[in-house]
Amino acid sequence: MTQSAAIHKATYHLYTFTISKLISTFGSSVYTFGISLYVLALTGPPPISPSI
């Protein structure tokens, strides 16, 4: 394998890893937001306390 081919292959793997990481982070954020809404729906909103 030539050096040019090795650099091309490494660049491809780096881009693939970066895109996969972005998708994974986005999915994790959506999941966390969804779980928080689910818990809020189960427990209801917090009671409003009077201001002093």
Side-chain angles (χ1 to χ4, degrees), residues 1-2 7 13 17 20 27 32 36-38 43 46-47:
M1 182 181 305
T2 65
I7 290 174
H13 288 296
F17 173 76
S20 301
T32 302
S36 65
L37 286 181
Y38 176 71
T43 60

Side-chain angles (χ1 to χ4, degrees), residues 28-46:
S28 178
S29 298
V30 169
Y31 177 77
T32 302
F33 182 73
I35 290 296
S36 65
L37 286 181
Y38 176 71
V39 170
L40 180 63
L42 285 179
T43 60

Side-chain angles (χ1 to χ4, degrees):
M1 182 181 305
T2 65
Q3 186 170 355
S4 176
I7 290 174
H8 179 70
K9 187 175 182 180
T11 304
Y12 170 77
H13 288 296
L14 182 62
Y15 286 146
T16 303
F17 173 76
T18 303
I19 290 171
S20 301
K21 189 70 172 173
L22 287 172
I23 291 171
S24 173
T25 303
F26 177 73
S28 178
S29 298
V30 169
Y31 177 77
T32 302
F33 182 73
I35 290 296
S36 65
L37 286 181
Y38 176 71
V39 170
L40 180 63
L42 285 179
T43 60
I48 299 174
S49 60
S51 300
I52 296 179

